[in-house]
């Protein structure tokens, strides 16, 4: 499960108007089901608009695929059919582990709260269902 998008070398994803770049990837960004379609559009842009074709997956950009996932994502990994994330639900809050199910598209925040990214890394690295 992946889609393709056009990204500026400086960061940001090309918006559907093919003129502006969004900092985050969302529904307003131009997206393609395959690399070939993305390549065709990238080649048609003016030479002054440099873009790269990037693959967007649940592992690389979980917030797009899981709308219930809120906050800043600090790390992701895949365990079987789940994407495991270190999440800071809002700036300054305790860190949590989120389990995103690829089959059901549901997000479950684990109950344990961690004071820092360093304190959650052990639990994150050894997480099993």
């Amino acid at each position: 499960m992946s889609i393709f998008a056009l990204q500026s070398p400086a960061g940001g994803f090309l918006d559907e108007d093919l003129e502006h770049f969004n900092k985050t990837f969302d529904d307003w960004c131009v997206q393609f089901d395959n690399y070939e379609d993305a390549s065709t559009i990238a080649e048609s842009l003016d030479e002054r608009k440099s873009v790269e074709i990037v693959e967007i997956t649940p592992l690389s950009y979980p917030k797009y695929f899981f709308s219930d996932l809120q906050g800043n994502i600090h790390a992701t990994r895949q365990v079987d059919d789940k994407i495991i994330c270190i999440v800071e639900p809002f700036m300054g809050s305790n860190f949590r582990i989120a389990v995103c199910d690829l089959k059901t598209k549901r997000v479950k925040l684990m109950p344990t709260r961690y004071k820092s990214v360093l304190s959650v890394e052990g639990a994150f690295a050894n997480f099993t269902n």
Side-chain angles (χ1 to χ4, degrees), residues 77-84 100 102-103 127-129:
R77 66 187 273 251
Q78 187 167 355
V79 175
D80 299 324
D81 59 347
K82 303 206 179 357
I83 302 296
I84 313 303
C100 307
L102 290 167
K103 292 179 181 175
F127 186 87
T128 58
N129 278 336

Side-chain angles (χ1 to χ4, degrees), residues 12 22 25 28 32 55 73 77-79 82-83 90 97-98 104-105 112 129:
N22 289 344
F25 187 76
W28 295 103
F32 306 92
E55 184 176 13
I73 310 299
R77 66 187 273 251
Q78 187 167 355
V79 175
K82 303 206 179 357
I83 302 296
F90 54 90
I97 292 179
T104 65
K105 301 288 188 214
T112 306
N129 278 336

Side-chain angles (χ1 to χ4, degrees), residues 22-127:
N22 289 344
K23 182 178 178 183
T24 58
F25 187 76
D26 59 23
D27 289 335
W28 295 103
C29 295
V30 65
Q31 51 193 280
F32 306 92
D33 292 329
N34 58 62
Y35 184 89
E36 293 76 25
D37 290 346
S39 180
T40 300
I41 296 300
E43 291 170 5
S44 73
L45 296 173
D46 291 340
E47 288 181 24
R48 60 186 164 80
K49 192 172 292 296
S50 177
V51 295
E52 299 170 352
I53 300 170
V54 294
E55 184 176 13
I56 306 291
T57 68
L59 190 58
S60 67
Y61 215 85
K63 285 173 97 172
Y64 181 77
F65 290 91
F66 303 100
S67 58
D68 291 343
L69 186 59
Q70 300 297 314
N72 293 325
I73 310 299
H74 291 273
T76 61
R77 66 187 273 251
Q78 187 167 355
V79 175
D80 299 324
D81 59 347
K82 303 206 179 357
I83 302 296
I84 313 303
C85 307
I86 295 177
V87 178
E88 183 181 17
F90 54 90
M91 188 66 84
S93 68
N94 289 329
F95 295 87
R96 313 254 317 254
I97 292 179
V99 180
C100 307
D101 191 306
L102 290 167
K103 292 179 181 175
T104 65
K105 301 288 188 214
R106 292 189 181 166
V107 175
K108 177 182 178 185
L109 282 178
M110 301 311 290
T112 306
R113 298 169 192 272
Y114 303 87
K115 297 273 184 205
S116 69
V117 172
L118 291 176
S119 62
V120 73
E121 281 182 347
F124 174 73
N126 297 307
F127 186 87

